[in-house]
Amino acid sequence: MTKATENPVPGDLVEDLVAEVDTGGRNPQGAISRNVLFFVPLVWTLFQLWYASPLPFMLNIFVINDTEARSIHLAFAVFLAYTAFPTFKSSPRKHIPYQDWVVAFIAAFCAGYIFIFYAGLAERPGRPTTIDLVVSVMGLILLLEATRRALGPPLMIVATVFIIYTFAGPYMPEVIAHQGASLVKGMSHYWLTTEGVYGVALGVSTGMVFMFVLFGSLLEAAGAGNYFIRTAFAGLGHLKGGPAKAAVVSSALTGLVSGSSIANVVTTGTFTIPLMKKVGFSAEKAGAVEVASSTNGQLTPPVMGAAAFLMVEYVGISYIEVIKHAFLPAIISYIALVYIVHLEACKMDLQGLPKRKTKTLAQSLLTFVFVVLSLIVMGGVTYYGLGWIKTFAGDKAIWIICALLTVAYLLLIYLACKVPDLEVSTEITELPDLGSTAQAGYYYLLPIVVLMWCLVVERLSPALSAFYATVLLIVIVLTQHPLKGFFRKIQGSEYSFSRGWKEMILGMVSGGRNMIGIGVATATAGIVVGTVTLTGIGLVMTEFVEFISGGNLMLILVFTAFISLLLGMGLPTTANYIVVSTLMAPVIVSLGAQNGLIVPLIAVHLFVFYFGILADDTPPVGLAAFAAAGISGGDPIRTGIQGFAYDIRTAILPFIFIFNNELLMIGIDNWFHFVVVVVGAIIAMLVFAAATQGWFVTKSRWWETIALLCIAFTLFRPGFFWDEIYPPLTDESPLQLVQVLDRLEPGSQLRLKLKGENMRGDEYQKTVMLAVGNEPTGAEKLSGLGIETRDEDGRIFVDMVGFGSPAKKAKIDFDQEILSIQMPLDRPNKELMFIPALLLLALVWRLQKARVKKHEAAVV
């Protein structure tokens, strides 16, 4: 791409970029082609709604299993990939060539082959016919080509390399050689089972991701995106660098339901970037703030660019657990970005937009307290009130709750009619009033409340929760305009039911087209996962990475971050996460254990995910930076570099939470501990942002920057220094294993240091943690963990490991020697390190404040 002109045309340049990346570059003029690209995504959306709903089981109509659903899902995705995306940049975009029609139908047939011939394939597992093999080979080739069209060459090349590795195993260098696979075995594994293309990743796309992408598309169609943006401006636009702060918050709100950083840039950037330039930001800095905000939108639960749902399957924890672990890093990352924007505004002495009304401090505090108390009261009434209704009404509670929801919706619509409708233009000329702006769209929050209620309280599956929230959203889209017309006593096309119908259909079509890339990406990433399970390359990767890093965990983390950034330059975030986590997550966990560090699997997966996201604004590829530059008129490379500089605060977070799991809400003992961790992490991130920006109260001197970095490190990881003063663990003899277990409370952790040999005969050591059961005696607790031991001259060895036991899951194997039991020591809380860190911070603040006062006195 070339540098954007000084007078860009965002409507052309940026929308074309989004089309190429997300929804397809074709905009056919012919009636047949146009209708196909309209009705096929619509039918796909209707199928996904049916599949996610309980209706098939209630009516016993078109009940299909997960494998059949994945087949249909992929058939839609590849058909649209061939019809919506041109073959090359020079290929026609105004019509669909005949050859693309032919290939699209063949690809859809190959993808749907499992669904069409499911019964026959089930009767001959592992014994494919010639037709099965032909379809599998053609399907694999056409899937790779569909991936190239929709996502570019990188993912196709990666998948092709893994396929070649599968079949050319015996001819590979000795360090990565394997016995290889026959055509029958390979095609069966990749295409005719759920080990390859139709594996976990495509299942997540089919079962969960589509519903959340559709939810986001319908929210946008309803006008919620515009509401989030204008509310953010109304609340923050008057502050220093206010439009930039509003950009951060509105991108975070959009990121709640959006899986695309590029779409996020375009949605919010058309509002925020011109205003940032208006108050004094350069074109590159305005674009960079939007890029950093939008890419970070994928960190924000509950969607997280579809990775949250993949983590559920790959890590083996619930969706709520994923959200809990991802929440704090996402929040402190956004708080830090707001602070970075504030520091930039301070450097340039920028002001915000003028307020319509000026409130006194007392009025502002009173308003804030009133809003907080109102939210607490409403939350309490909702939670306990609905709980009481469920207890009182039993099975009929759902009808009472639906009636109350209807009343709440009508009341909020009525309140919205008391204020003017929100502007829909992309130019904000004056600061909106916060009260009336927020009041105009409170009802948009109802589907989000329903979504979170179903997930957190009812503990429904993510897909079913999204289905119920989407049903409510469809009702809102259809009825909001007629109801506003009724309450305002106005008639016309603007308040007609047909307007809502059109918006609903367009939202459904948009949801389907937004899923094309994700559908083919998850299917193609399944090739990589299938290769790992078929060839055992995961074990090879462990040994290879251990060799090049010398077993040093920090080097392994740097290596993994580099791979994630490199692959992420060409791969979509979801595919990048699948590929790198499949290869590297087990390596990091294994080598961490050998370094005596227990690394939770969720921490490793989030580590990989974070760096995959950062690739979206990493030059020279950074498509989000190109989209922002198209709006700002700045240089895309400089925009990307500046955006990455803002994102350094995000880049350090994964390294921190690998070593300090408390940032992921792991190991939090009580609410006070939780508050200390949250406050410490926020202060640490703000201090780190100040250090990297070279500005705290005023411009920092070099030693002040070093001091700020040390303060941030101490607050982020207080145990680093504290462990040198007070060792956290003591070793007890493995001969006392039963007695130690007898003392441990149910649910506490047993930490064992083990020694074993790998397949090459090399010795290794590792540390594992096992959750103790509630058996009455130590011997029974040991048996409950799945471990039997033997004593050889005072040395304790693992004699047997129970199948499917906690010990087996922790990869404890027979004949491993138990070197010691590592028991925690009673010691002062490591958070006491916060005291010297905060005192040093106060000293830096005082020194900089004194310089500011001295400068002001000299000016006067």
Side-chain angles (χ1 to χ4, degrees):
M1 293 189 182
T2 58
K3 177 182 175 180
T5 61
E6 289 299 315
N7 296 300
V9 186
D12 296 334
L13 177 65
V14 179
E15 288 180 14
D16 286 350
L17 178 60
V18 175
E20 287 178 18
V21 175
D22 284 342
T23 60
R26 279 206 178 110
N27 185 20
Q29 303 301 307
I32 295 177
S33 300
R34 191 168 61 250
N35 286 337
V36 164
L37 291 184
F38 180 86
F39 285 106
V40 172
L42 179 60
V43 173
W44 189 10
T45 297
L46 294 174
F47 160 73
Q48 293 288 163
L49 280 168
W50 177 264
Y51 174 65
S53 77
L55 293 176
F57 302 98
M58 293 169 62
L59 303 175
N60 199 28
I61 298 174
F62 193 49
V63 179
I64 57 176
N65 62 35
D66 291 344
T67 305
E68 293 172 305
R70 295 174 192 182
S71 178
I72 297 172
H73 181 83
L74 183 58
F76 275 112
V78 294
F79 181 86
L80 288 170
Y82 279 102
T83 51
F85 291 87
T87 311
F88 303 106
K89 288 187 176 181
S90 58
S91 299
R93 293 168 183 260
K94 300 300 182 184
H95 71 277
I96 303 174
Y98 293 116
Q99 65 270 19
D100 281 0
W101 283 112
V102 173
V103 177
F105 279 109
I106 295 173
F109 171 77
C110 293
Y113 188 77
I114 287 182
F115 169 72
I116 298 169
F117 301 102
Y118 185 80
L121 289 168
E123 291 174 357
R124 53 177 191 273
R127 295 180 290 109
T129 64
T130 303
I131 297 297
D132 294 341
L133 293 176
V134 170
V135 169
S136 300
V137 172
M138 289 179 60
L140 211 56
I141 293 171
L142 293 176
L143 174 61
L144 292 173
E145 168 57 15
T147 304
R148 184 196 66 80
R149 290 191 182 205
L151 304 167
L155 181 56
M156 180 205 72
I157 293 171
V158 169
T160 303
V161 168
F162 276 83
I163 293 172
I164 292 172
Y165 176 77
T166 297
F167 294 109
Y171 311 104
M172 290 289 168
E174 184 178 351
V175 68
I176 59 171
H178 63 97
Q179 65 180 7
S182 65
L183 182 66
V184 170
K185 185 177 181 181
M187 289 303 105
S188 296
H189 195 81
Y190 282 133
W191 201 262
L192 301 176
T193 69
T194 55
E195 296 294 324
V197 169
Y198 298 96
V200 169
L202 186 61
V204 169
S205 177
T206 306
M208 289 184 269
V209 177
F210 194 106
M211 289 307 302
F212 279 84
V213 170
L214 174 62
F215 182 74
S217 297
L218 286 171
L219 262 182
E220 183 63 34
N226 182 52
Y227 171 70
F228 290 151
I229 292 167
R230 292 186 182 277
T231 304
F233 268 100
L236 299 170
H238 64 284
L239 302 174
K240 277 193 173 186
K245 292 173 182 174
V248 176
V249 173
S250 58
S251 291
L253 292 171
T254 305
L256 286 172
V257 292
S258 171
S260 169
S261 56
I262 297 167
N264 199 332
V265 166
V266 175
T267 302
T268 59
T270 50
F271 292 85
T272 60
I273 290 175
L275 269 176
M276 281 189 271
K277 292 175 66 179
K278 185 177 179 181
V279 298
F281 280 85
S282 67
E284 284 76 20
K285 286 191 175 181
V289 168
E290 183 56 50
V291 167
S293 306
S294 296
T295 52
N296 276 210
Q298 292 189 71
L299 304 178
T300 313
V303 177
M304 295 168 58
F309 313 112
L310 290 162
M311 288 180 195
V312 170
E313 301 296 331
Y314 288 152
V315 182
I317 60 178
S318 70
Y319 179 66
I320 299 302
E321 286 291 304
V322 172
I323 291 176
K324 183 186 83 172
H325 296 316
F327 179 75
L328 182 56
I331 291 300
I332 63 176
S333 181
Y334 264 114
I335 290 174
L337 186 54
V338 171
Y339 185 57
I340 286 172
V341 166
H342 176 74
L343 293 177
E344 288 281 16
C346 290
K347 289 180 190 177
M348 296 181 280
D349 195 24
L350 304 181
Q351 302 302 317
L353 298 173
K355 296 182 70 173
R356 290 186 177 185
K357 300 176 184 176
T358 303
K359 291 184 179 181
T360 64
L361 178 61
Q363 289 175 321
S364 299
L365 288 174
L366 185 63
T367 302
F368 176 76
V369 171
F370 176 76
V371 170
V372 171
L373 288 176
S374 299
L375 290 173
I376 292 173
V377 170
M378 285 190 293
V381 169
T382 302
Y383 183 83
Y384 293 105
L386 291 181
W388 177 81
I389 290 172
K390 289 176 66 178
T391 303
F392 174 76
D395 293 339
K396 296 179 181 178
I398 182 65
W399 302 108
I400 299 174
I401 291 171
C402 286
L404 291 174
L405 195 61
T406 302
V407 171
Y409 171 52
L410 292 174
L411 178 61
L412 292 176
I413 283 282
Y414 176 76
L415 289 175
C417 291
K418 294 297 182 181
V419 296
D421 280 335
L422 297 176
E423 289 284 336
V424 294
S425 64
T426 57
E427 184 178 2
I428 299 176
T429 55
E430 60 180 4
L431 191 68
D433 176 66
L434 178 58
S436 59
T437 302
Q439 185 176 331
Y442 282 137
Y443 62 92
Y444 289 130
L445 303 179
L446 284 176
I448 298 176
V449 170
V450 169
L451 174 65
M452 298 312 296
W453 176 272
C454 291
L455 284 171
V456 177
V457 180
E458 298 295 335
R459 296 298 177 111
L460 300 180
S461 70
L464 193 56
S465 300
F467 170 77
Y468 287 129
T470 302
V471 169
L472 174 58
L473 189 50
I474 289 173
V475 172
I476 290 174
V477 173
L478 288 173
T479 61
Q480 62 174 336
H481 303 303
L483 286 173
K484 285 181 179 179
F486 172 78
F487 286 125
R488 288 173 174 162
K489 299 179 181 179
I490 302 175
Q491 294 182 345
S493 60
E494 187 178 349
Y495 297 99
S496 65
F497 180 81
S498 61
R499 179 185 174 188
W501 178 262
K502 290 177 183 176
E503 289 176 348
M504 181 195 73
I505 296 298
L506 289 174
M508 287 183 170
V509 172
S510 176
R513 293 195 66 165
N514 286 338
M515 275 299 300
I516 301 172
I518 296 176
V520 296
T522 50
T524 306
I527 295 173
V528 176
V529 178
T531 301
V532 172
T533 57
L534 183 61
T535 63
I537 191 177
L539 295 174
V540 175
M541 281 295 296
T542 302
E543 294 184 1
F544 176 70
V545 173
E546 183 179 7
F547 172 74
I548 64 173
S549 66
N552 185 290
L553 183 60
M554 184 56 73
L555 287 178
I556 294 167
L557 293 173
V558 172
F559 180 66
T560 304
F562 177 76
I563 290 177
S564 298
L565 283 173
L566 187 65
L567 289 177
M569 290 183 188
L571 269 60
T573 304
T574 308
N576 182 20
Y577 162 71
I578 295 170
V579 172
V580 182
S581 65
T582 301
L583 294 174
M584 299 301 299
V587 179
I588 296 174
V589 172
S590 173
L591 296 184
Q594 292 183 29
N595 282 265
L597 180 69
I598 305 296
V599 184
L601 193 56
I602 182 65
V604 182
H605 280 257
L606 284 171
F607 181 93
V608 170
F609 176 56
Y610 267 52
F611 281 100
I613 287 172
L614 289 176
D616 274 353
D617 61 5
T618 305
V621 178
L623 294 178
F626 279 92
I631 299 171
S632 70
D635 182 271
I637 300 298
R638 288 208 295 268
T639 300
I641 293 171
Q642 185 66 59
F644 189 77
Y646 290 153
D647 269 339
I648 288 175
R649 88 228 177 270
T650 304
I652 69 153
L653 269 176
F655 287 97
I656 297 297
F657 62 57
I658 287 287
F659 294 97
N660 182 8
N661 303 151
E662 289 177 350
L663 290 180
L664 302 179
M665 304 297 176
I666 297 173
I668 303 294
D669 299 325
N670 49 56
W671 69 267
F672 181 75
H673 188 190
F674 169 77
V675 170
V676 170
V677 169
V678 171
V679 172
I682 291 174
I683 295 174
M685 184 54 81
L686 296 181
V687 171
F688 180 80
T692 55
Q693 290 297 304
W695 189 285
F696 186 31
V697 179
T698 185
K699 186 176 181 180
S700 299
R701 292 171 177 167
W702 66 268
W703 65 267
E704 290 173 334
T705 297
I706 294 173
L708 290 174
L709 289 173
C710 290
I711 293 166
F713 179 78
T714 303
L715 293 174
F716 268 133
R717 198 183 167 200
F720 182 82
F721 299 108
W722 204 242
D723 291 350
E724 298 298 320
I725 304 171
Y726 296 100
L729 302 168
T730 183
D731 289 338
E732 292 199 15
S733 169
L735 294 169
Q736 303 297 315
L737 181 57
V738 173
Q739 290 86 339
V740 168
L741 280 169
D742 217 6
R743 300 198 308 265
L744 290 178
E745 294 292 326
S748 59
Q749 299 289 329
L750 173 68
R751 186 177 177 119
L752 299 176
K753 188 174 183 180
L754 304 168
K755 183 172 75 172
E757 290 185 358
N758 59 24
M759 292 184 296
R760 296 181 303 183
D762 298 329
E763 281 192 355
Y764 66 86
Q765 293 184 8
K766 70 174 185 178
T767 306
V768 299
M769 287 182 73
L770 300 168
V772 177
N774 57 2
E775 293 84 359
T777 67
E780 289 173 316
K781 287 177 180 176
L782 185 62
S783 178
L785 294 173
I787 300 175
E788 292 183 19
T789 61
R790 68 177 187 272
D791 187 339
E792 294 184 5
D793 300 326
R795 299 168 64 190
I796 303 299
F797 290 86
V798 177
D799 195 44
M800 190 67 68
V801 179
F803 180 76
S805 65
K808 190 68 175 178
K809 292 177 182 177
K811 297 186 178 178
I812 296 177
D813 210 345
F814 65 91
D815 282 345
Q816 288 179 344
E817 182 181 359
I818 302 176
L819 297 177
S820 65
I821 308 165
Q822 297 183 330
M823 298 294 292
L825 289 170
D826 286 332
R827 60 176 188 160
N829 290 329
K830 63 180 182 293
E831 283 77 18
L832 288 173
M833 284 299 301
F834 287 3
I835 295 174
L838 293 175
L839 288 174
L840 180 57
L841 179 62
L843 175 63
V844 174
W845 179 85
R846 186 180 179 87
L847 291 172
Q848 292 205 0
K849 194 71 176 176
R851 290 209 304 274
V852 171
K853 288 182 178 179
K854 185 178 180 180
H855 175 72
E856 289 174 349
V859 171
V860 173

